[in-house]
Amino acid sequence: MRNFTSVHDVTDMDALVQTALGYKADPFKDKVLGTNKRIGCLFLNPSMRTRLSTQIAAQNLGMEAIIFNVGNEGWALEFEDEAIMSGSTVEHVKDAAPIFGNYFDILAIRTFPSLKNREDDYSELYIKQIIKYAGIPVVSLESSTLHPLQSLTDIITIQETLLNSPAGIGRKPKIVLTWAPHVKPLPQCVANSFAQWVNAWGKADFVITHPEDYELSEEFTKGASITHNQEEALKGADFVYVKNWSTYNDYGKIYTNDPKWMLKHKRWVHTNNAKIMHCLPVRRNVELSDEMLDGSMSIVTQQASNRVWAAQAVLSEILKSNG
Ligand code: CP
């Protein structure tokens, strides 16, 4: 593996999941793999889980992790080629990225979308420019359209849960991705990425449910059943992934905040005792009710904890492939 920016960088998803679960069982078994190697983690946007889990994963492999909150502490970066930099940006990625390439062995970066211009966001200019100019392997810590470390974690968590349930072994689970209300327009990254990974995994009945006009890009959802009827979608579900996203077609808008879309126990009872997933952070009693988050059906803490093993599996693959 050279870079990790989407499911397309993964040649064998099952093997990567097994690697991650192997690290969960024995975190320090490759503690010399990253000796004398350094990862730079650039954050243009806030984070808790991604930052800490990547740092821990790197340290478990013997790597030094250096965190740089570019968005708050660094020079404002320009990403457009041939830009006339007379505005707010101070340093061009063409100048900064090769320096990161000399300082580090792996570069990881988080860049959120603007949600103003769909074409710009979906071009993934930021991460493409970093890859182009850094000259070292690049890991997405969430980009404008995808969150692959989160999605790998989600597949790990689903597989782990199935393996730990005698009834789950060998059975094709029903996975539902449901839209939830939110007070702010959020990126489509987590939903796009989850759809992309579940479709690529190919071992589930996959249903996406959302209000009208909240369609995601078909690039990611193709292969899933899509319905506007959440109650119907939930029937017989084994896993329910709850997530808000803003509109994709009329880009970056909130069309509804209908609280009926917030998952509650009275709708969950139609599932097959479904496990509830969310990438976090979650707005309690807006996106998901307390009764769901605090109930035994919630696996959000297990899911967030698995972020370490997903990151460790990816970093180890990159270290092994790139010497
Ligand atoms: N799920 C996730 O990416 O969390 P953070 O934004 O806290 O990193």
Side-chain angles (χ1 to χ4, degrees), residues 118-139:
R118 188 176 80 184
E119 207 177 310
D120 285 353
D121 288 345
Y122 275 69
S123 76
E124 290 284 15
L125 177 73
Y126 285 22
I127 202 145
K128 282 184 183 158
Q129 292 289 69
I130 286 282
I131 290 171
K132 183 172 167 189
Y133 292 117
I136 55 172
V138 170
V139 173

Side-chain angles (χ1 to χ4, degrees), residues 134-207:
I136 55 172
V138 170
V139 173
S140 167
L141 301 173
E142 189 169 351
S143 66
S144 296
T145 65
L146 294 170
H147 195 351
L149 279 174
Q150 179 66 54
S151 308
L152 171 59
T153 303
D154 300 335
I155 298 290
I156 291 165
T157 306
I158 289 168
Q159 293 217 35
E160 178 184 45
T161 304
L162 290 171
L163 284 172
N164 289 336
S165 134
I169 296 171
R171 201 171 61 79
K172 201 174 189 187
K174 178 174 177 182
I175 300 176
V176 177
L177 168 63
T178 181
W179 182 90
H182 202 284
V183 292
K184 286 172 64 179
L186 295 191
Q188 293 106 33
C189 309
V190 170
N192 283 344
S193 199
F194 184 70
Q196 185 187 51
W197 280 71
V198 174
N199 279 325
W201 186 45
K203 295 179 186 171
D205 289 327
F206 183 34
V207 179

Side-chain angles (χ1 to χ4, degrees), residues 5-306:
T5 62
S6 83
V7 77
H8 301 305
D9 294 311
V10 177
T11 47
D12 187 340
M13 194 189 298
D14 285 334
L16 195 59
V17 169
Q18 288 315 312
T19 301
L21 291 174
Y23 283 131
K24 185 166 185 170
D26 187 0
F28 305 111
K29 65 180 177 179
D30 280 334
K31 66 179 181 215
V32 294
L33 186 62
T35 304
N36 299 330
K37 305 270 185 194
R38 213 176 273 132
I39 180 171
C41 300
L42 312 183
F43 285 88
L44 279 78
N45 304 94
S47 168
M48 190 265 261
R49 279 144 290 269
T50 307
R51 171 179 167 156
L52 297 177
S53 61
T54 306
Q55 213 169 351
I56 294 165
Q59 287 172 356
N60 286 352
L61 294 167
M63 295 187 87
E64 186 183 1
I66 294 183
I67 308 292
F68 182 24
N69 290 311
V70 189
N72 295 330
E73 298 160 7
W75 301 116
L77 287 176
E78 174 62 57
F79 286 86
E80 290 281 352
D81 281 330
E82 296 172 29
I84 298 168
M85 290 172 56
S86 55
S88 57
T89 55
V90 177
E91 180 155 27
H92 202 283
V93 67
K94 199 189 278 196
D95 302 311
I99 301 169
F100 298 139
N102 284 340
Y103 289 168
F104 303 116
D105 301 282
I106 300 176
L107 194 60
I109 181 164
R110 165 168 282 201
T111 63
F112 285 172
S114 68
L115 291 180
K116 292 190 174 94
N117 182 313
R118 188 176 80 184
E119 207 177 310
D120 285 353
D121 288 345
Y122 275 69
S123 76
E124 290 284 15
L125 177 73
Y126 285 22
I127 202 145
K128 282 184 183 158
Q129 292 289 69
I130 286 282
I131 290 171
K132 183 172 167 189
Y133 292 117
I136 55 172
V138 170
V139 173
S140 167
L141 301 173
E142 189 169 351
S143 66
S144 296
T145 65
L146 294 170
H147 195 351
L149 279 174
Q150 179 66 54
S151 308
L152 171 59
T153 303
D154 300 335
I155 298 290
I156 291 165
T157 306
I158 289 168
Q159 293 217 35
E160 178 184 45
T161 304
L162 290 171
L163 284 172
N164 289 336
S165 134
I169 296 171
R171 201 171 61 79
K172 201 174 189 187
K174 178 174 177 182
I175 300 176
V176 177
L177 168 63
T178 181
W179 182 90
H182 202 284
V183 292
K184 286 172 64 179
L186 295 191
Q188 293 106 33
C189 309
V190 170
N192 283 344
S193 199
F194 184 70
Q196 185 187 51
W197 280 71
V198 174
N199 279 325
W201 186 45
K203 295 179 186 171
D205 289 327
F206 183 34
V207 179
I208 303 174
T209 184
H210 54 71
E212 279 182 34
D213 300 320
Y214 273 86
E215 280 73 22
L216 294 162
S217 166
E218 266 190 40
E219 179 188 347
F220 307 112
T221 61
K222 203 161 186 231
S225 306
I226 299 172
T227 172
H228 300 141
N229 187 335
Q230 189 196 51
E231 202 169 333
E232 193 60 34
L234 292 173
K235 281 183 188 159
D238 298 292
F239 296 90
V240 180
Y241 202 104
V242 180
K243 186 71 187 90
N244 170 269
W245 60 89
S246 59
T247 53
Y248 169 74
N249 287 320
D250 180 18
Y251 192 57
K253 304 280 191 314
I254 295 180
Y255 274 10
T256 178
N257 255 333
D258 187 347
K260 280 203 220 97
W261 278 87
M262 181 179 74
L263 187 61
K264 297 197 196 82
H265 192 267
K266 67 179 183 198
R267 282 216 171 154
W268 174 83
V269 292
H270 299 296
T271 69
N272 182 29
N273 202 19
K275 298 297 183 194
I276 303 301
M277 302 177 73
H278 189 289
C279 62
L280 305 180
V282 62
R283 296 230 180 192
R284 280 178 174 255
N285 303 310
V286 176
E287 285 178 88
L288 251 174
S289 58
D290 281 341
E291 59 182 355
M292 288 286 97
L293 281 163
D294 298 333
S296 59
M297 66 287 276
S298 169
I299 55 170
V300 297
T301 306
Q302 173 194 345
Q303 190 184 353
S305 306
N306 282 341

